[in-house]
Amino acid sequence: MSRQDQKQKKVTLLDVAKHADVSRATASLVVRKSPLVGAETRQRVEAAMRELGYVYNMGAARLRAERSHTIGVVVPNLTNPFFAELLSGMEASVDAAGLVMIIANTGDGPPRQAIVLQRLREHGVDGIILCPAAGTTDEIASQIEGWKLPLVQVLRHVTDELDYAGADYVAGMEEAVEYLVSLGHRAISFAAHGPVHSAYQERVQGFLGAMKRFGLRPEPVIRFPDRVDQIAQEADALFVKDRAPTAVICFNDLVAHGLAAGFYDRGLKIGRDISLIGFDDVADAEAMRPRLTSVSTAPNEIGQKAAALLLDRIAQPALPPRRWINPTRLHIRDSCRPLSSS
Amino acid sequence: MSRQDQKQKKVTLLDVAKHADVSRATASLVVRKSPLVGAETRQRVEAAMRELGYVYNMGAARLRAERSHTIGVVVPNLTNPFFAELLSGMEASVDAAGLVMIIANTGDGPPRQAIVLQRLREHGVDGIILCPAAGTTDEIASQIEGWKLPLVQVLRHVTDELDYAGADYVAGMEEAVEYLVSLGHRAISFAAHGPVHSAYQERVQGFLGAMKRFGLRPEPVIRFPDRVDQIAQEADALFVKDRAPTAVICFNDLVAHGLAAGFYDRGLKIGRDISLIGFDDVADAEAMRPRLTSVSTAPNEIGQKAAALLLDRIAQPALPPRRWINPTRLHIRDSCRPLSSS
DNA sequence: CTGAAAGCGCTTACAG
DNA sequence: CTGAAAGCGCTTACAG
């Protein structure tokens, strides 16, 4: 019988057991690396597995053991570099734990999200990491509770009853305002975009709170389009009516990037004519010229931590809900200048 | 019995069948949307599913049906925005077909890749989309053949025996050279980075071939570090010795972004002092100033097509190997100027 | 450590 | 359309 033939009919654990002259139960113990099996026996079984080209059938194991070694990750989109960083961090933690990630995209819409969550349940994931789509209500908490499915919220939260891993957006924005004020700026605008959710609100709240604390007039939040080229085109929106900001804090680096381009197009020099602060501190911040000062939220770390929270929750479903809030850090580069020198 | 209690012990298809007063086989047909079931019966079963909170157990189905409705996607890294676009395209196609994606990261290393592929086999994926790690040899073809596992290569290829979806890197580079030559440039450098693989070689080959065709001295390919900030620091490498390029073609947009920053730092004006062309045309190209002329490879489309190839291959394993090469397009923006006017 | 048996929740023929 | 039976490839007690 050639190797080829052996591959034809799937080789099962029973085949391995026979080949190694042990019982099926013993072979099963070897696969699962149980210490109950003696070294000599273990080696014989492992040799048999290699010789027969055995592939462990996780699907069969899961049916019996009620554990799939699979987790679901649901995010509002895949293309944002911020989410890419987040996924990368998760992948590292999840992989290290011997699990595998099924990823799904909601397009930031609750109806899609409902479908996607259902599909993940059908696939028998051991747990889910969810960045809730904008518009998700806290009713989801009781739903999840009914499902008995371990779930952690990431980046955004809609309920206190479930675990959450995110960053301290409020403090991050406060730090940005403080820094600009220390440079002498008083007319500071906030440039935002995208759907409204907890992370959005916390950023706005941090900005407005800090402005008020310094006795500065809180400018209305200025909304920009989603795409970076459109943001550039509409940069003028910052200067309409009686507004004349000397500094702008952005919702994220993407907005900052768009505005930087818009300023360039208008002959405004960042630093000299206007100061600019981004948020998230993704890779581009370092590549922009002048380099972008940005509030770092460390998405990779958040991803790792979200995975860790989920693994804990899977191991101990009764744990009280936990939240892990990553401190932010203002990464000062070259996009802000003291007001006096401008 | 409250809803809660019903959730406690998992409800199975047999429970649904009893509740709807039909046989288990009929309930199974309803779940799988078979046309054999009459409308009235179907509705009764569906109502029972809702009332009992039934969740289809894909794991059990897979064990019997030998189909997991799961595919594996293995990529060398997750953070590159290019791969994010690719995944996004795949996700759309895979999701539309009712399947789900398990994603895995090789870190561009063959040993990791071997582990990851094995893990995906154990999870019983119906097929795999693989961007082969740098250093993967064509021995993988016979290995995969032995596994009887549908697999398509994406972006890079190591064998002709397996399906492949990618872009026409050679033609893309040729077009870039032609364009620069048409603007009067003759001293054109190629700036590369990252590991060497088919996509790398094809880009270099396209560049060198076109240069030779125009009777231009083929400059050696100049290698840069991986990170964008390091690329900026080493931009001088373009001008060492007797080299004085008037234009630079980059391996990808990331290199272009780094060099653009490096030029800025040295007071070189893109367009006036030097022309620059990127490759891939990801979102940043539009946000750079001056806007980056770049060869578009449409990663999102490649992702969709790779998924389509895999679905075909799963349906018809005996199909001869196919390759789908996306034509590229030079997206002209503002980073190149005629030599005479400089 | 072993062996025989039951069962995880489905799907698959097969006879009606 | 239905019903009874077998089986997918494992894991789980349980008695030895």
Side-chain angles (χ1 to χ4, degrees), chain A residues 240-291:
Chain A
V240 294
K241 290 195 292 185
D242 56 341
R243 289 182 202 146
T246 59
V248 181
I249 298 178
C250 299
F251 173 74
N252 60 18
D253 283 358
L254 201 155
V255 172
H257 207 166
L259 289 180
F263 293 158
Y264 176 97
D265 295 341
R266 284 156 186 77
L268 287 174
K269 262 205 99 173
I270 292 173
R272 188 192 66 189
D273 302 316
I274 191 145
S275 288
L276 188 66
I277 296 190
F279 205 96
D280 284 342
D281 196 28
V282 294
D284 275 356
E286 184 66 38
M288 285 174 62
R289 290 298 180 273
R291 291 175 178 83

Side-chain angles (χ1 to χ4, degrees), chain A residues 22-23 25-26 36-38 63-64:
Chain A
V22 299
S23 73
T26 305
L36 293 179
V37 186
L63 187 55
R64 193 66 178 86

Side-chain angles (χ1 to χ4, degrees), chain A residues 81-129:
Chain A
F82 181 81
F83 284 106
E85 288 267 354
L86 182 81
L87 288 179
S88 186
M90 282 178 196
E91 201 270 342
S93 296
V94 169
D95 179 83
L99 308 199
V100 119
M101 277 179 12
I102 294 180
I103 93 165
N105 187 345
T106 63
D108 231 343
R112 267 292 296 158
Q113 176 172 281
I115 292 171
V116 150
L117 288 176
Q118 178 65 13
R119 191 171 282 182
L120 290 175
R121 288 179 76 202
E122 293 181 350
H123 275 276
V125 295
D126 293 334
I128 289 180
I129 298 176

Side-chain angles (χ1 to χ4, degrees), chain A residues 190-194 200 204 221-225 231 249-252 255:
Chain A
F190 187 90
H193 82 160
Y200 184 99
V204 170
V221 170
I222 303 163
R223 299 264 318 165
F224 287 89
I231 296 170
I249 298 178
C250 299
F251 173 74
N252 60 18
V255 172

Side-chain angles (χ1 to χ4, degrees), chain B residues 9-336:
Chain B
K9 49 183 68 88
K10 207 168 295 172
V11 2
T12 76
L13 203 49
L14 187 54
D15 299 327
V16 171
K18 280 181 189 155
H19 193 87
D21 212 34
V22 299
S23 74
R24 196 227 297 274
T26 305
S28 177
L29 289 173
V30 172
V31 173
R32 284 174 290 146
K33 307 202 186 310
S34 159
L36 293 179
V37 186
E40 196 274 330
T41 310
R42 167 183 308 282
Q43 281 168 22
R44 212 167 64 237
V45 174
E46 284 169 348
M49 287 170 28
R50 271 194 304 279
E51 283 168 35
L52 299 179
Y54 173 70
V55 178
Y56 184 63
N57 185 329
M58 190 77 81
R62 112 167 28 177
L63 187 54
R64 192 65 176 88
E66 322 252 72
R67 183 91 201 267
S68 72
H69 293 274
T70 288
I71 71 159
V73 175
V74 359
V75 292
N77 87 57
L78 254 28
T79 55
N80 187 323
F82 181 81
F83 284 106
E85 287 268 354
L86 182 82
L87 288 179
S88 186
M90 281 179 197
E91 200 271 343
S93 296
V94 169
D95 178 84
L99 309 201
V100 118
M101 277 178 11
I102 293 180
I103 93 165
N105 187 345
T106 63
D108 230 343
R112 267 291 297 157
Q113 176 171 279
I115 292 171
V116 151
L117 289 176
Q118 178 66 12
R119 191 171 282 182
L120 289 175
R121 288 179 76 202
E122 294 181 350
H123 276 276
V125 295
D126 293 334
I128 289 179
I129 298 177
L130 170 71
C131 177
T136 304
T137 66
D138 63 359
E139 288 165 26
I140 203 171
S142 55
Q143 193 175 33
I144 304 280
E145 163 66 19
W147 292 349
K148 300 287 172 223
L149 185 61
L151 183 145
V152 353
Q153 305 167 93
V154 71
L155 298 179
R156 311 172 182 172
H157 52 91
V158 295
T159 170
D160 288 343
E161 296 172 39
L162 295 167
D163 296 328
Y164 168 65
D168 194 345
Y169 306 118
V170 175
M173 278 299 167
E174 287 172 351
E175 201 177 354
V177 173
E178 279 164 26
Y179 173 63
L180 287 173
V181 168
S182 78
L183 294 178
H185 293 276
R186 299 184 57 81
I188 304 171
S189 286
F190 187 90
H193 81 161
V196 174
H197 43 64
S198 66
Y200 183 99
Q201 287 167 324
E202 288 171 12
R203 290 180 201 201
V204 170
Q205 173 194 333
F207 170 73
L208 295 178
M211 290 295 279
K212 183 175 289 180
R213 201 141 45 75
F214 286 110
L216 301 175
R217 186 175 59 126
E219 293 274 356
V221 170
I222 304 162
R223 300 265 317 165
F224 287 89
D226 279 346
R227 278 174 34 204
V228 71
D229 54 326
Q230 297 170 326
I231 296 170
Q233 278 172 24
E234 304 200 6
D236 282 334
L238 287 165
F239 308 107
V240 292
K241 291 194 294 187
D242 56 341
R243 288 182 203 145
T246 61
V248 181
I249 299 177
C250 300
F251 173 75
N252 61 18
D253 283 359
L254 202 155
V255 172
H257 207 166
L259 289 181
F263 294 158
Y264 176 97
D265 294 340
R266 285 156 185 76
L268 287 174
K269 262 203 100 173
I270 292 173
R272 188 192 66 187
D273 302 316
I274 191 146
S275 289
L276 188 66
I277 296 189
F279 206 96
D280 285 342
D281 196 27
V282 294
D284 276 355
E286 186 65 40
M288 285 173 62
R289 289 299 180 271
R291 289 175 179 82
L292 181 69
T293 291
S294 184
V295 177
S296 169
T297 55
N300 194 290
E301 276 179 48
I302 297 177
Q304 289 180 44
K305 194 63 189 187
L309 284 179
L310 182 60
L311 294 171
D312 286 353
R313 167 83 31 210
I314 290 170
Q316 303 169 63
L319 236 44
R322 298 190 292 175
R323 15 188 62 209
W324 183 81
I325 312 289
N326 206 21
T328 57
R329 190 176 72 80
L330 182 66
H331 193 153
I332 297 176
R333 295 196 184 85
D334 310 322
S335 62
C336 300

